[in-house]
Amino acid sequence: MSGRSTFSSRLVGGFVLTVSLTILMGAMSVVALAAVTRSKDDVIAATNRQLFDSQQLSTIAEQRIGDLRAYLLNGEDEWLAAFTQDRRLFLAKAADLRTLFTDARKRALLDAVLRSEAAYAAALEPTVQRRRSIHDLRTVTQLSNPLVKPARITLQSDITALIARVQADAEAARRSSSRDAAAAIAAICTMTGLTIVAAVIIAWRLRRRLRRQVGSAIGHIQSSSAELEASAAQQATGGQNQTTAMLEINTTISEMLITSRQIADNARMVAAAAEETADAARSGDTTIGLTRQSITDIREQADQTVRHMVALGEKSQQISGVTDLVGELAEQTNILAINATIEASGAGEWGRRFSVVAEEIRKLADRTAGSAKEIRALIDDVQAAVRTTVLATESGAKTVDAGAQRFDEVTESFRRIAGLVATTNDATREIELSTQQQAVAVEQVNAAAADTAAVTRGTQSTAVQTRQTAAHLSSLSNELQQLVGVGSAG
């Protein structure tokens, strides 16, 4: 067979190339979006870990101050052990933060916090030692140290500066990851445009080439048929050889007619399959629209959860303020009870009775202060859980937004597939119409050849010319069979 490609091979080749470009574009889009999403999640997780640990430093420092006050008031070793344990937790948390920080500025702020903590510990050491030697605390002024308060304020301000720096870096990392996502989306849009342009060019070139070749082949067939008809009109009689040749021509044309009808039937089947594919694409577009609405509902629920959590955090802060007030009242009551006990010890028998009452008041104040600390610790846990829930909910909302955007891209892909299927359907219908016209022409040629065979059976002088014309028509018919992919398939 000749080196020309068939109609079916060109249609299949164009369709395979278009589908390959679409699959390649989709794969590259998925890979790019997955990489950007993974990078963004890693950045958010790292910054959230740094921010949470930095805020833990502030919490541990406040807890340490509370334990110190409790020890200074009652002198129990339990509170001193808790105070010492708080410092160990503070230093361990600072060591963990050092492993997380890669920025020199944040490490410098962390070093400043450690220096402030060391200065604060050094300022507290004389006060702690003095409290160990005092067994009868008459007034809190016995433990006053002018160096403690400035050191504590410096430590708190350094911790606040560190938290502010971590928050600023987290916001910068979020903006950078957003820029990367925008760049990936722009690249995907560019690749999508190039794929569409390539598919349009392929479809246009394939359609033009097929139309030109089919027209040329049909023109040759019609020209040869006209020559055969003119030669047959000149024949008055024909011989047995010419009759045999004409019968062979009739057989060939009949096979061509059958083949043309088969091509028309196959074209109708392809058109039906293309229509079903278009219906499936439109159905997929509708399903994705419903899914997008569900994602929108999920986002609204996440926003409502964030609002509830923020309200819970505000209520927790109000409760914390009340708890601080109760703790301060308990400390003042404890001091008053101690002073009342001291005064009652010098009042004789009546003073001893009042001393018993003052002692009970002091114990009640101690229990109240302890309960206030426990409530404050529980409130701190609630606030930390609220912050963590808000961050997780916001992260989930961002993931939902990214999923909604990917659904939009999938919807656009379904629409492009439907457009390509419609183009293929139009080309198939044109091929079907061309083959039907060819079948009509072949039937006319078949009828003319039969008439020619009946009229020219007795001619001998024009038999050679008629045989050559019939051979030419047979050759062109074979080329048409190869072009439409029928004769060469056997």
Side-chain angles (χ1 to χ4, degrees):
M1 297 302 176
S2 63
R4 296 184 180 180
S5 58
T6 63
F7 284 160
S8 60
S9 64
R10 289 182 180 178
L11 286 175
V12 171
F15 180 77
V16 169
L17 182 57
T18 303
V19 172
S20 300
L21 289 175
T22 304
I23 293 174
L24 179 61
M25 185 273 293
M28 294 179 66
S29 300
V30 171
V31 171
L33 288 176
V36 171
T37 303
R38 184 167 54 254
S39 175
K40 191 170 185 178
D41 291 342
D42 293 340
V43 169
I44 292 174
T47 53
N48 287 343
R49 173 70 185 280
Q50 293 178 8
L51 181 60
F52 178 78
D53 288 350
S54 299
Q55 291 173 344
Q56 281 291 309
L57 285 180
S58 178
T59 302
I60 294 173
E62 294 295 332
Q63 184 176 353
R64 181 183 176 190
I65 293 172
D67 293 339
L68 174 64
R69 289 175 179 174
Y71 173 71
L72 294 179
L73 286 174
N74 53 39
E76 294 179 1
D77 292 337
E78 176 184 357
W79 295 107
L80 180 59
F83 169 76
T84 304
Q85 179 64 23
D86 291 340
R87 189 184 184 199
R88 284 196 295 269
L89 291 175
F90 185 93
L91 296 177
K93 185 62 67 176
D96 292 339
L97 277 174
R98 183 175 293 277
T99 59
L100 296 176
F101 289 161
T102 57
D103 185 15
R105 289 175 293 182
K106 288 191 284 190
R107 288 195 171 186
L109 290 174
L110 181 60
D111 292 337
V113 170
L114 291 176
R115 288 194 298 270
S116 300
E117 192 281 332
Y120 179 61
L124 288 177
E125 185 62 26
T127 302
V128 173
Q129 295 297 332
R130 190 179 302 117
R131 184 65 182 89
R132 287 180 176 176
S133 62
I134 296 176
H135 300 289
D136 186 7
L137 181 63
R138 298 177 180 275
T139 177
V140 179
T141 57
Q142 294 178 265
L143 304 175
S144 63
N145 186 348
L147 300 177
V148 173
K149 185 176 181 179
R152 175 172 55 80
I153 294 174
T154 301
L155 175 60
Q156 291 174 339
S157 63
D158 289 341
I159 294 175
T160 302
L162 176 61
I163 293 173
R165 183 63 197 177
V166 171
Q167 290 175 341
D169 288 349
E171 180 64 20
R174 184 190 65 78
R175 290 195 296 268
S176 177
S177 60
S178 298
R179 287 193 297 269
D180 293 341
I185 292 171
I188 291 171
C189 292
T190 301
M191 290 188 294
T192 301
L194 293 176
T195 302
I196 293 173
V197 171
V200 170
I201 292 174
I202 291 170
W204 178 76
R205 290 178 61 88
L206 181 61
R207 179 176 176 272
R208 187 173 123 181
R209 181 173 298 179
L210 291 179
R211 284 175 63 88
R212 184 173 62 250
Q213 292 180 354
V214 170
S216 177
I218 293 175
H220 285 300
I221 291 176
Q222 291 176 348
S223 176
S224 298
S225 299
E227 293 177 2
L228 178 61
E229 187 176 359
S231 298
Q234 296 175 4
Q235 293 176 355
T237 59
Q240 186 64 35
N241 292 333
Q242 184 180 7
T243 303
T244 303
M246 293 305 298
L247 291 176
E248 291 177 357
I249 293 173
N250 289 334
T251 303
T252 303
I253 294 176
S254 298
E255 292 177 354
M256 184 186 299
L257 180 60
I258 295 173
T259 301
S260 299
R261 290 172 178 171
Q262 290 178 351
I263 293 173
D265 293 337
N266 291 333
R268 283 192 292 272
M269 292 175 63
V270 172
E275 188 66 27
E276 292 178 358
T277 304
D279 292 339
R282 288 191 291 271
S283 177
D285 190 11
T286 303
T287 303
I288 289 176
L290 296 175
T291 305
R292 188 188 302 109
Q293 181 61 37
S294 299
I295 289 178
T296 302
D297 296 338
I298 293 172
R299 176 58 191 268
E300 291 176 358
Q301 292 177 1
D303 292 340
Q304 186 177 5
T305 301
V306 171
R307 290 194 295 269
H308 289 328
M309 285 299 172
V310 170
L312 179 60
E314 292 174 355
K315 297 297 182 181
S316 300
Q317 291 179 356
Q318 294 176 2
I319 296 173
S320 176
V322 175
T323 304
D324 292 339
L325 179 60
V326 172
E328 291 177 0
L329 291 175
E331 290 179 1
Q332 295 296 328
T333 303
N334 193 0
I335 293 173
L336 292 175
I338 292 173
N339 291 334
T341 303
I342 294 172
E343 293 296 331
S345 62
E349 181 63 26
W350 299 102
R352 283 194 297 273
R353 296 179 181 179
F354 183 76
S355 176
V356 172
V357 175
E359 181 64 22
E360 292 298 325
I361 292 173
R362 188 186 67 81
K363 292 180 180 179
L364 179 61
D366 289 338
R367 288 196 299 271
T368 302
S371 299
K373 290 184 178 64
E374 293 177 356
I375 294 171
R376 177 57 185 271
L378 292 174
I379 291 172
D380 290 340
D381 293 339
V382 170
Q383 291 177 347
V386 168
R387 288 192 294 270
T388 303
T389 303
V390 170
L391 292 175
T393 305
E394 291 179 350
S395 177
K398 294 177 181 177
T399 303
V400 169
D401 291 340
Q405 187 173 8
R406 285 195 290 273
F407 271 114
D408 291 337
E409 295 171 357
V410 173
T411 302
E412 184 63 25
S413 297
F414 268 113
R415 291 173 181 170
R416 289 197 300 273
I417 291 172
L420 293 175
V421 170
T423 303
T424 303
N425 192 12
D426 294 338
T428 305
R429 294 186 185 278
E430 291 179 1
I431 294 173
E432 180 184 353
L433 180 59
S434 298
T435 52
Q436 289 176 354
Q437 293 175 354
Q438 178 184 345
V440 173
V442 171
E443 287 178 352
Q444 294 175 356
V445 172
N446 191 14
D451 295 338
T452 302
V455 173
T456 61
R457 282 190 178 93
T459 185
Q460 183 66 35
S461 61
T462 58
V464 176
Q465 183 180 0
T466 304
R467 189 179 298 113
Q468 291 176 352
T469 304
H472 186 204
L473 180 59
S474 178
S475 176
L476 291 177
S477 300
N478 290 331
E479 290 182 1
L480 181 60
Q481 287 179 341
Q482 293 176 8
L483 190 60
V484 299
V486 176
S488 60

